[in-house]
Amino acid sequence: MPALLSPRELRERFVEAATAKFARNVPDFLRLRTLVAARGGRFLNDHGAIRTADPAVAALFVRAARVLGLRRERDYVFPAKKLISFDLQVIGDDARQFKVFLSQVDLAAFPPDVAALIREDCAAQAAAVDHGEFIALIAKAEAAGGLDGADAASFIGHFTEVLMARPGPPMQRATFDAVSAVSGEAASALALGPDFNHVTIDVPSAGFGGIEALTAAMLAEGFRMLPAIQGAPGTKLRQTATMAATMATPVIEADGGTGMAQSEKQFVEIIERGQAVDDDGEPLWSDDGKPLIFRNFLAANAEKIFAAASTRSVGSAASC
């Protein structure tokens, strides 16, 4: 009987595959990897983030993530962005473990007619894909505690290339415009599908003295960055990000032809995690006497990071 890969081993393969896919689509990621390598640093992927408007996709992602040893932990709410979010974490205190930040479009926060358009788009995507074999592999892993090499390859392939994708027809132009008028973040979620909209690099591992130093190096290399670092010096979480490139997104026009809309989809984040504190603001320490590093997220920071990929309707492009 073939040996089973553990959740940790499956997670490592997932991170490798999903990061490679992200690198194919995001030139800034490759540029940052080159910058870190030149410094002699290590490229540690702190977390990836996805957005989805389909509750069924979110539920399937959470179930599949459990096979990787990731469990839902904290909830975060962003009323202004029309998003509700949560993190998926490895059980324990190790802040260096890979995480996922999953955001769902809050359909209840949209006008009913716009929410109906979003649901129609989600239904069109769901009708275009079959997750049956993937769900069977999840059940197999749940029963056995892991997957053998062949099953693992099929599981990781479907996870990264099928579940984390927009499998169906292009969005309707009317849907794109209506959603982007209410929430640029939700419009970007629909345009990209449930793929990583950003991957986040750990600053200390990258070999820079701090997030200011890495940000300055990135600006000097011509990266377009958010205007400010989120989180004050010495606090438990500091983040900033590149600005997502504006990309042409296929849409179906009112006459049935195909047009192109401009949307912002994917970017690169950098993160510096500090010592966690308790409810009284006192620093927390691990059992071995080392600082306990904060491993979750802060809504106030994340809300500003969302601005790196926010699509606003700017009218029609020519049909093709």
Side-chain angles (χ1 to χ4, degrees), residues 267-295:
F267 60 95
V268 182
E269 180 184 335
I270 59 174
I271 195 165
E272 183 177 85
R273 294 183 176 276
Q275 188 170 10
V277 297
D278 64 17
D279 291 342
D280 296 321
E282 295 298 321
L284 293 173
W285 303 86
S286 61
D287 284 343
D288 61 5
K290 296 179 180 178
L292 185 66
I293 302 302
F294 182 70
R295 52 191 282 279

mmCIF file of all heavy atoms in Angstrom, residues 267-295:
data_model
loop_
_atom_site.group_PDB
_atom_site.id
_atom_site.type_symbol
_atom_site.label_atom_id
_atom_site.label_comp_id
_atom_site.label_asym_id
_atom_site.label_seq_id
_atom_site.Cartn_x
_atom_site.Cartn_y
_atom_site.Cartn_z
ATOM 1 N N PHE A 267 -2.058 41.218 -6.801
ATOM 2 C CA PHE A 267 -0.956 42.049 -6.332
ATOM 3 C C PHE A 267 -0.108 41.255 -5.352
ATOM 4 O O PHE A 267 -0.420 40.102 -5.022
ATOM 5 C CB PHE A 267 -1.482 43.334 -5.688
ATOM 6 C CG PHE A 267 -2.382 43.108 -4.494
ATOM 7 C CD1 PHE A 267 -1.877 43.136 -3.203
ATOM 8 C CD2 PHE A 267 -3.741 42.887 -4.665
ATOM 9 C CE1 PHE A 267 -2.698 42.935 -2.098
ATOM 10 C CE2 PHE A 267 -4.580 42.685 -3.560
ATOM 11 C CZ PHE A 267 -4.061 42.713 -2.288
ATOM 12 N N VAL A 268 0.975 41.865 -4.891
ATOM 13 C CA VAL A 268 1.886 41.221 -3.940
ATOM 14 C C VAL A 268 1.912 42.033 -2.657
ATOM 15 O O VAL A 268 2.036 43.256 -2.680
ATOM 16 C CB VAL A 268 3.311 41.123 -4.522
ATOM 17 C CG1 VAL A 268 4.236 40.409 -3.538
ATOM 18 C CG2 VAL A 268 3.304 40.401 -5.866
ATOM 19 N N GLU A 269 1.783 41.342 -1.553
ATOM 20 C CA GLU A 269 1.819 41.987 -0.234
ATOM 21 C C GLU A 269 3.107 41.603 0.482
ATOM 22 O O GLU A 269 3.663 40.517 0.240
ATOM 23 C CB GLU A 269 0.611 41.541 0.591
ATOM 24 C CG GLU A 269 0.531 42.135 1.988
ATOM 25 C CD GLU A 269 -0.638 41.586 2.798
ATOM 26 O OE1 GLU A 269 -1.634 41.140 2.195
ATOM 27 O OE2 GLU A 269 -0.535 41.586 4.037
ATOM 28 N N ILE A 270 3.596 42.483 1.344
ATOM 29 C CA ILE A 270 4.700 42.139 2.243
ATOM 30 C C ILE A 270 4.222 42.353 3.674
ATOM 31 O O ILE A 270 3.393 43.235 3.942
ATOM 32 C CB ILE A 270 5.971 42.968 1.939
ATOM 33 C CG1 ILE A 270 5.712 44.475 2.079
ATOM 34 C CG2 ILE A 270 6.487 42.642 0.549
ATOM 35 C CD1 ILE A 270 6.967 45.334 1.925
ATOM 36 N N ILE A 271 4.719 41.545 4.593
ATOM 37 C CA ILE A 271 4.168 41.541 5.944
ATOM 38 C C ILE A 271 5.287 41.375 6.978
ATOM 39 O O ILE A 271 6.270 40.656 6.741
ATOM 40 C CB ILE A 271 3.122 40.407 6.087
ATOM 41 C CG1 ILE A 271 2.259 40.585 7.328
ATOM 42 C CG2 ILE A 271 3.789 39.029 6.093
ATOM 43 C CD1 ILE A 271 1.002 39.715 7.304
ATOM 44 N N GLU A 272 5.133 42.067 8.083
ATOM 45 C CA GLU A 272 6.068 41.967 9.198
ATOM 46 C C GLU A 272 5.256 41.710 10.470
ATOM 47 O O GLU A 272 4.489 42.561 10.907
ATOM 48 C CB GLU A 272 6.860 43.273 9.321
ATOM 49 C CG GLU A 272 7.914 43.273 10.409
ATOM 50 C CD GLU A 272 8.691 44.586 10.405
ATOM 51 O OE1 GLU A 272 8.204 45.563 11.031
ATOM 52 O OE2 GLU A 272 9.745 44.648 9.759
ATOM 53 N N ARG A 273 5.404 40.521 11.011
ATOM 54 C CA ARG A 273 4.643 40.131 12.206
ATOM 55 C C ARG A 273 5.471 40.389 13.462
ATOM 56 O O ARG A 273 6.665 40.074 13.497
ATOM 57 C CB ARG A 273 4.241 38.657 12.126
ATOM 58 C CG ARG A 273 3.266 38.375 10.998
ATOM 59 C CD ARG A 273 2.807 36.921 10.972
ATOM 60 N NE ARG A 273 1.793 36.717 9.927
ATOM 61 C CZ ARG A 273 0.501 36.961 10.065
ATOM 62 N NH1 ARG A 273 0.044 37.387 11.240
ATOM 63 N NH2 ARG A 273 -0.335 36.775 9.075
ATOM 64 N N GLY A 274 4.818 40.955 14.481
ATOM 65 C CA GLY A 274 5.487 41.247 15.736
ATOM 66 C C GLY A 274 4.919 40.423 16.874
ATOM 67 O O GLY A 274 4.114 39.503 16.674
ATOM 68 N N GLN A 275 5.323 40.771 18.078
ATOM 69 C CA GLN A 275 4.902 40.014 19.258
ATOM 70 C C GLN A 275 3.418 40.227 19.541
ATOM 71 O O GLN A 275 2.920 41.357 19.522
ATOM 72 C CB GLN A 275 5.728 40.425 20.472
ATOM 73 C CG GLN A 275 5.496 39.545 21.696
ATOM 74 C CD GLN A 275 6.507 39.825 22.801
ATOM 75 O OE1 GLN A 275 7.271 40.789 22.729
ATOM 76 N NE2 GLN A 275 6.543 38.972 23.822
ATOM 77 N N ALA A 276 2.710 39.138 19.801
ATOM 78 C CA ALA A 276 1.293 39.209 20.150
ATOM 79 C C ALA A 276 1.136 39.780 21.560
ATOM 80 O O ALA A 276 2.056 39.699 22.397
ATOM 81 C CB ALA A 276 0.667 37.821 20.069
ATOM 82 N N VAL A 277 -0.026 40.366 21.814
ATOM 83 C CA VAL A 277 -0.336 40.908 23.137
ATOM 84 C C VAL A 277 -1.691 40.380 23.589
ATOM 85 O O VAL A 277 -2.505 39.949 22.771
ATOM 86 C CB VAL A 277 -0.358 42.455 23.120
ATOM 87 C CG1 VAL A 277 1.017 43.008 22.762
ATOM 88 C CG2 VAL A 277 -1.409 42.983 22.157
ATOM 89 N N ASP A 278 -1.921 40.397 24.899
ATOM 90 C CA ASP A 278 -3.208 39.952 25.416
ATOM 91 C C ASP A 278 -4.212 41.100 25.391
ATOM 92 O O ASP A 278 -3.928 42.194 24.883
ATOM 93 C CB ASP A 278 -3.053 39.362 26.817
ATOM 94 C CG ASP A 278 -2.570 40.366 27.861
ATOM 95 O OD1 ASP A 278 -2.658 41.601 27.615
ATOM 96 O OD2 ASP A 278 -2.122 39.928 28.933
ATOM 97 N N ASP A 279 -5.405 40.858 25.940
ATOM 98 C CA ASP A 279 -6.466 41.866 25.899
ATOM 99 C C ASP A 279 -6.111 43.125 26.678
ATOM 100 O O ASP A 279 -6.719 44.186 26.462
ATOM 101 C CB ASP A 279 -7.768 41.279 26.444
ATOM 102 C CG ASP A 279 -8.356 40.218 25.518
ATOM 103 O OD1 ASP A 279 -7.956 40.186 24.331
ATOM 104 O OD2 ASP A 279 -9.188 39.412 25.986
ATOM 105 N N ASP A 280 -5.141 43.026 27.566
ATOM 106 C CA ASP A 280 -4.705 44.191 28.337
ATOM 107 C C ASP A 280 -3.503 44.891 27.697
ATOM 108 O O ASP A 280 -2.956 45.838 28.274
ATOM 109 C CB ASP A 280 -4.339 43.765 29.769
ATOM 110 C CG ASP A 280 -5.541 43.235 30.542
ATOM 111 O OD1 ASP A 280 -6.639 43.802 30.375
ATOM 112 O OD2 ASP A 280 -5.373 42.256 31.285
ATOM 113 N N GLY A 281 -3.094 44.397 26.526
ATOM 114 C CA GLY A 281 -1.957 45.006 25.846
ATOM 115 C C GLY A 281 -0.610 44.515 26.326
ATOM 116 O O GLY A 281 0.429 45.058 25.924
ATOM 117 N N GLU A 282 -0.585 43.479 27.175
ATOM 118 C CA GLU A 282 0.671 42.943 27.675
ATOM 119 C C GLU A 282 1.257 41.939 26.689
ATOM 120 O O GLU A 282 0.526 41.141 26.099
ATOM 121 C CB GLU A 282 0.459 42.268 29.034
ATOM 122 C CG GLU A 282 0.034 43.220 30.137
ATOM 123 C CD GLU A 282 1.092 44.287 30.403
ATOM 124 O OE1 GLU A 282 2.296 43.956 30.373
ATOM 125 O OE2 GLU A 282 0.700 45.444 30.623
ATOM 126 N N PRO A 283 2.577 41.950 26.473
ATOM 127 C CA PRO A 283 3.187 41.032 25.510
ATOM 128 C C PRO A 283 3.034 39.575 25.930
ATOM 129 O O PRO A 283 3.047 39.248 27.127
ATOM 130 C CB PRO A 283 4.659 41.459 25.499
ATOM 131 C CG PRO A 283 4.867 42.169 26.794
ATOM 132 C CD PRO A 283 3.565 42.830 27.120
ATOM 133 N N LEU A 284 2.889 38.712 24.920
ATOM 134 C CA LEU A 284 2.730 37.284 25.157
ATOM 135 C C LEU A 284 4.022 36.554 24.808
ATOM 136 O O LEU A 284 4.722 36.916 23.866
ATOM 137 C CB LEU A 284 1.578 36.731 24.316
ATOM 138 C CG LEU A 284 0.175 37.240 24.688
ATOM 139 C CD1 LEU A 284 -0.853 36.760 23.673
ATOM 140 C CD2 LEU A 284 -0.200 36.770 26.091
ATOM 141 N N TRP A 285 4.297 35.495 25.599
ATOM 142 C CA TRP A 285 5.530 34.728 25.419
ATOM 143 C C TRP A 285 5.182 33.255 25.231
ATOM 144 O O TRP A 285 4.228 32.749 25.817
ATOM 145 C CB TRP A 285 6.441 34.893 26.639
ATOM 146 C CG TRP A 285 6.768 36.330 26.923
ATOM 147 C CD1 TRP A 285 6.037 37.217 27.659
ATOM 148 C CD2 TRP A 285 7.887 37.061 26.417
ATOM 149 N NE1 TRP A 285 6.628 38.457 27.663
ATOM 150 C CE2 TRP A 285 7.777 38.392 26.898
ATOM 151 C CE3 TRP A 285 8.980 36.734 25.615
ATOM 152 C CZ2 TRP A 285 8.701 39.383 26.607
ATOM 153 C CZ3 TRP A 285 9.911 37.716 25.318
ATOM 154 C CH2 TRP A 285 9.768 39.022 25.812
ATOM 155 N N SER A 286 5.990 32.568 24.432
ATOM 156 C CA SER A 286 5.790 31.134 24.237
ATOM 157 C C SER A 286 6.396 30.374 25.413
ATOM 158 O O SER A 286 7.091 30.944 26.267
ATOM 159 C CB SER A 286 6.416 30.680 22.922
ATOM 160 O OG SER A 286 7.808 30.913 22.930
ATOM 161 N N ASP A 287 6.155 29.056 25.443
ATOM 162 C CA ASP A 287 6.637 28.242 26.558
ATOM 163 C C ASP A 287 8.157 28.222 26.665
ATOM 164 O O ASP A 287 8.706 27.995 27.751
ATOM 165 C CB ASP A 287 6.124 26.798 26.413
ATOM 166 C CG ASP A 287 4.657 26.670 26.777
ATOM 167 O OD1 ASP A 287 4.129 27.583 27.434
ATOM 168 O OD2 ASP A 287 4.042 25.659 26.397
ATOM 169 N N ASP A 288 8.853 28.448 25.538
ATOM 170 C CA ASP A 288 10.314 28.420 25.590
ATOM 171 C C ASP A 288 10.910 29.793 25.898
ATOM 172 O O ASP A 288 12.133 29.981 25.833
ATOM 173 C CB ASP A 288 10.891 27.881 24.279
ATOM 174 C CG ASP A 288 10.513 28.731 23.075
ATOM 175 O OD1 ASP A 288 9.879 29.786 23.263
ATOM 176 O OD2 ASP A 288 10.848 28.327 21.948
ATOM 177 N N GLY A 289 10.058 30.759 26.266
ATOM 178 C CA GLY A 289 10.542 32.076 26.661
ATOM 179 C C GLY A 289 10.765 33.042 25.510
ATOM 180 O O GLY A 289 11.201 34.175 25.722
ATOM 181 N N LYS A 290 10.450 32.627 24.294
ATOM 182 C CA LYS A 290 10.585 33.509 23.135
ATOM 183 C C LYS A 290 9.293 34.287 22.914
ATOM 184 O O LYS A 290 8.219 33.840 23.319
ATOM 185 C CB LYS A 290 10.934 32.699 21.886
ATOM 186 C CG LYS A 290 12.288 31.997 21.965
ATOM 187 C CD LYS A 290 12.557 31.201 20.704
ATOM 188 C CE LYS A 290 13.909 30.486 20.781
ATOM 189 N NZ LYS A 290 14.169 29.664 19.557
ATOM 190 N N PRO A 291 9.371 35.444 22.265
ATOM 191 C CA PRO A 291 8.143 36.190 21.987
ATOM 192 C C PRO A 291 7.156 35.349 21.175
ATOM 193 O O PRO A 291 7.548 34.644 20.239
ATOM 194 C CB PRO A 291 8.631 37.391 21.167
ATOM 195 C CG PRO A 291 10.058 37.559 21.565
ATOM 196 C CD PRO A 291 10.573 36.166 21.810
ATOM 197 N N LEU A 292 5.887 35.400 21.547
ATOM 198 C CA LEU A 292 4.839 34.715 20.801
ATOM 199 C C LEU A 292 4.423 35.631 19.652
ATOM 200 O O LEU A 292 3.880 36.710 19.874
ATOM 201 C CB LEU A 292 3.650 34.409 21.702
ATOM 202 C CG LEU A 292 2.525 33.593 21.072
ATOM 203 C CD1 LEU A 292 2.998 32.181 20.742
ATOM 204 C CD2 LEU A 292 1.313 33.540 22.001
ATOM 205 N N ILE A 293 4.704 35.224 18.435
ATOM 206 C CA ILE A 293 4.471 36.082 17.269
ATOM 207 C C ILE A 293 2.996 36.023 16.862
ATOM 208 O O ILE A 293 2.395 34.942 16.795
ATOM 209 C CB ILE A 293 5.373 35.673 16.096
ATOM 210 C CG1 ILE A 293 6.842 35.736 16.508
ATOM 211 C CG2 ILE A 293 5.123 36.561 14.881
ATOM 212 C CD1 ILE A 293 7.298 37.096 16.994
ATOM 213 N N PHE A 294 2.440 37.179 16.587
ATOM 214 C CA PHE A 294 1.037 37.295 16.179
ATOM 215 C C PHE A 294 0.839 36.583 14.848
ATOM 216 O O PHE A 294 1.559 36.816 13.885
ATOM 217 C CB PHE A 294 0.673 38.775 16.056
ATOM 218 C CG PHE A 294 -0.764 39.031 15.690
ATOM 219 C CD1 PHE A 294 -1.781 38.772 16.584
ATOM 220 C CD2 PHE A 294 -1.100 39.550 14.439
ATOM 221 C CE1 PHE A 294 -3.105 39.019 16.264
ATOM 222 C CE2 PHE A 294 -2.417 39.802 14.104
ATOM 223 C CZ PHE A 294 -3.427 39.532 15.023
ATOM 224 N N ARG A 295 -0.161 35.707 14.769
ATOM 225 C CA ARG A 295 -0.331 34.871 13.580
ATOM 226 C C ARG A 295 -1.644 35.100 12.846
ATOM 227 O O ARG A 295 -1.886 34.483 11.806
ATOM 228 C CB ARG A 295 -0.221 33.384 13.951
ATOM 229 C CG ARG A 295 -1.130 32.978 15.075
ATOM 230 C CD ARG A 295 -0.821 31.583 15.599
ATOM 231 N NE ARG A 295 -1.343 30.540 14.753
ATOM 232 C CZ ARG A 295 -2.610 30.128 14.763
ATOM 233 N NH1 ARG A 295 -3.487 30.723 15.575
ATOM 234 N NH2 ARG A 295 -3.004 29.154 13.971
#
